[in-house]
Amino acid sequence: MKKILIAAFAGLFIVACSNEKKSDDSKAKSGEIKTEEKNEAWVPVDSATMMKNMMDYGTPGPMHQMMASWDGTWTGDMSMWDYDGTAPRKEITSSVNKTIMGGKYQQTNFSGNMMGMPFEGMSIMGYDNASKKFNSSWFDNFSSGIMNMSGNWDEATKTITLEGTMPDINRPEKECSFKETFKIVDADNQVMEMWGPDPKTGKQYKMMEIKMTRKK
């Protein structure tokens, strides 16, 4: 796939995050963060029901089969924008997708160049049968952290929309948010797009696009 390449590209956020303005403190002041007023009553679960739920939770389904169909080697035509409205920087990338752990997850190994330097990263993507969401984690040689994303599949548009946060290294103890879409064009072509805060304005802008083609 990928996977979105997840972000590879954490490198871009090192700059882009610096002007992200929202914080948990400001959300709390505006009333956006609400605390749970009371706990729900605990409902006892018998051992047979618990075992069935566990088996259902760990059994690959249609979404896992869809991920498995993305296995293989892909070439990427990547465009990156430093700021909104600037000319894109172009790179050619390569990624290899492999289904692991009995079909429950897909691992992606990514390689290419970023800002004139060798870049490599890895992601793990899975579909959670309980939350009905895709979850993805990404790490690379440009950072020392792990980027986590979560989102939904839209059958009508054949698109996964993932959202997440990452530490803002320019603002200690703060985070910035980002969004990524992954669209299946056909069996051998996919498009990933990423949005993050513009370093000059703090407003969300399209910072990356990768057009991926599976090698035959």
Side-chain angles (χ1 to χ4, degrees):
M1 146 155 151
K2 209 196 277 46
K3 220 127 237 288
I4 305 199
L5 293 170
I6 285 206
F9 317 128
L12 290 175
F13 286 104
I14 290 177
V15 177
C17 288
S18 60
N19 282 335
E20 179 83 349
K21 292 182 173 60
K22 275 196 174 182
S23 67
D24 286 347
D25 289 343
S26 63
K27 287 182 181 179
K29 291 178 181 178
S30 64
E32 291 182 39
I33 297 179
K34 298 179 181 179
T35 57
E36 189 175 358
E37 294 182 359
K38 59 180 180 180
N39 295 325
E40 294 183 7
W42 182 262
V43 178
V45 181
D46 61 78
S47 58
T49 298
M50 183 175 65
M51 181 60 67
K52 180 182 182 304
N53 290 342
M54 290 176 61
M55 294 298 294
D56 290 344
Y57 188 48
T59 300
M63 294 293 101
H64 301 90
Q65 295 167 13
M66 179 175 70
M67 281 195 302
S69 73
W70 302 332
D71 280 2
T73 301
W74 298 73
T75 297
D77 180 4
M78 181 169 67
S79 300
M80 295 175 290
W81 292 266
D82 294 330
Y83 305 98
D84 190 17
T86 60
R89 291 185 285 113
K90 298 279 192 175
E91 297 285 354
I92 300 299
T93 67
S94 178
S95 58
V96 179
N97 301 327
K98 179 178 67 174
T99 300
I100 60 175
M101 297 190 179
K104 297 181 179 67
Y105 306 97
Q106 187 173 71
Q107 174 181 313
T108 294
N109 291 326
F110 174 87
S111 61
N113 287 286
M114 186 77 66
M115 297 179 286
M117 295 178 286
F119 182 90
E120 60 179 319
M122 180 184 295
S123 70
I124 301 294
M125 173 174 277
Y127 180 78
D128 192 309
N129 287 333
S131 67
K132 309 301 182 186
K133 290 180 179 292
F134 280 93
N135 298 300
S136 182
S137 295
W138 167 271
F139 53 95
D140 58 61
N141 66 328
F142 271 32
S143 63
S144 59
I146 298 176
M147 185 184 298
N148 297 303
M149 297 179 288
S150 180
N152 298 311
W153 165 254
D154 183 354
E155 178 65 28
T157 62
K158 305 296 182 183
T159 301
I160 301 174
T161 300
L162 299 166
E163 295 183 280
T165 60
M166 67 172 292
D168 184 344
I169 65 169
N170 296 303
R171 297 187 306 153
E173 300 182 8
K174 303 293 184 181
E175 292 188 329
C176 60
S177 61
F178 58 96
K179 182 180 77 170
E180 199 170 83
T181 60
F182 175 72
K183 180 178 178 62
I184 299 176
V185 179
D186 56 41
D188 297 313
N189 292 276
Q190 305 166 349
V191 178
M192 184 278 278
E193 296 179 311
M194 178 181 286
W195 287 262
D198 188 308
K200 293 183 178 295
T201 66
K203 296 180 180 179
Q204 292 283 312
Y205 82 112
K206 180 178 174 179
M207 60 194 308
M208 179 181 297
E209 177 182 272
I210 305 177
K211 296 179 180 178
M212 292 164 283
T213 302
R214 192 193 325 242
K215 290 185 178 180
K216 300 295 188 180

